[in-house]
Amino acid sequence: MKKTLVVIKPDGVQRNLIGEIISRFERSGLKLVAMKMMQADAKLVEKHYTIDPKWFENVGNKAIESYKKKGMTPPNSDPIAVGKEVLERLKKYITAGPVVAMVWEGSSAVPLVRKICGGTEPLSATCGTIRGDYTPESYQLADGAERAIRNLVHASGSTEEAEKEIALWFNNKEILDYKLIRDMIIYDVDWSF
Ligand code: GDP
Ligand code: MG
């Protein structure tokens, strides 16, 4: 069993999509083991996105690629500098209003949650995913307005990232250990009515 962090970002809260988003994880067979509504501050956002030291470079490369795809010149050719700019935008975005932080547990929780959320850019995210279904947001719209991509949810990118992110957002007491009768049907070898 693995755990992963999901955060409904301020646009998800403001769009009244909290219930809709939670229901997608509930019906997937994952188990909710922690949840709280809170106001994040810039310090938390910075810590969160710098957990993986390669994040600046990765996000910078992704952003530069998206500029090139549109035939535009990236604001900077150094991926780390572009990554740092994205972080500044993220601080504004994630602290703009309350968020809902959750921990979901289950088999392959990290990739399953990423699949349910869809790709980073809602416009190109697959239909049927949270990001693909609820917003026309694109790299073009976000970069044109010099803001972060408003994509409704955060989901941990790897098990290692998930462990560190969960420890950042929750203390041990907030994470519950309990059984769901439903899990017998999902996981047990033998079960009968
Ligand atoms: P995720 O794991 O799919 O959320 O994507 P990343 O970890 O690469 O980026 C974190 C967040 O930064 C994304 O969810 C977006 O909100 C924002 N973001 C990522 N790349 C860009 C970009 O190229 N431009 C802008 N404006 N925002 C971005
Ligand atoms: Mg990420």
Side-chain angles (χ1 to χ4, degrees):
M1 290 299 153
K2 296 275 190 243
K3 291 186 178 74
T4 192
L5 180 80
V6 173
V7 179
I8 304 178
K9 294 175 174 178
D11 51 335
V13 174
Q14 295 298 325
R15 295 270 317 276
N16 289 39
L17 289 172
I18 298 172
E20 183 64 41
I21 290 170
I22 291 175
S23 74
R24 291 190 174 221
F25 298 116
E26 270 191 311
R27 72 188 189 190
S28 75
L30 290 168
K31 179 166 71 175
L32 182 62
V33 294
M35 178 162 78
K36 62 183 168 191
M37 188 173 207
M38 59 184 278
Q39 172 67 50
D41 61 19
K43 225 178 179 177
L44 175 64
V45 176
E46 173 150 1
K47 275 193 194 157
H48 171 89
Y49 284 109
T50 51
I51 277 176
D52 173 9
K54 292 211 99 184
W55 181 82
F56 281 120
E57 199 178 340
N58 291 342
V59 79
N61 276 323
K62 223 160 62 166
I64 289 170
E65 202 53 42
S66 82
Y67 274 103
K68 287 185 179 162
K69 252 195 203 157
K70 288 175 297 198
M72 288 163 69
T73 316
N76 199 310
S77 56
D78 174 16
I80 292 175
V82 175
K84 287 193 169 158
E85 184 54 48
V86 173
L87 176 62
E88 288 313 304
R89 293 176 185 185
L90 276 166
K91 282 187 198 166
K92 268 197 198 162
Y93 168 36
I94 309 292
T95 63
V99 297
V100 178
M102 298 173 276
V103 179
W104 288 90
E105 184 184 274
S107 175
S108 304
V110 175
L112 179 54
V113 162
R114 293 283 284 191
K115 185 180 79 164
I116 293 166
C117 289
T120 304
E121 186 197 34
L123 179 64
S124 52
T126 317
C127 280
T129 64
I130 294 165
R131 288 165 168 179
D133 280 355
Y134 297 115
T135 167
E137 177 72 322
S138 64
Y139 278 113
Q140 196 141 16
L141 270 178
D143 290 335
E146 298 189 353
R147 56 169 173 74
I149 293 182
R150 293 173 184 162
N151 53 11
L152 305 165
V153 272
H154 163 79
S156 306
S158 66
T159 303
E160 201 196 354
E161 209 174 274
E163 279 168 13
K164 291 179 182 165
E165 288 179 358
I166 290 167
L168 183 64
W169 288 76
F170 289 92
N171 65 45
N172 282 341
K173 277 189 189 160
E174 292 172 313
I175 301 169
L176 305 183
D177 184 9
Y178 69 101
K179 278 193 173 27
L180 276 181
I181 292 166
R182 175 209 74 181
D183 281 352
M184 187 175 77
I185 297 166
I186 298 179
Y187 297 113
D188 283 8
V189 178
D190 298 311
W191 63 279
S192 58
F193 291 110

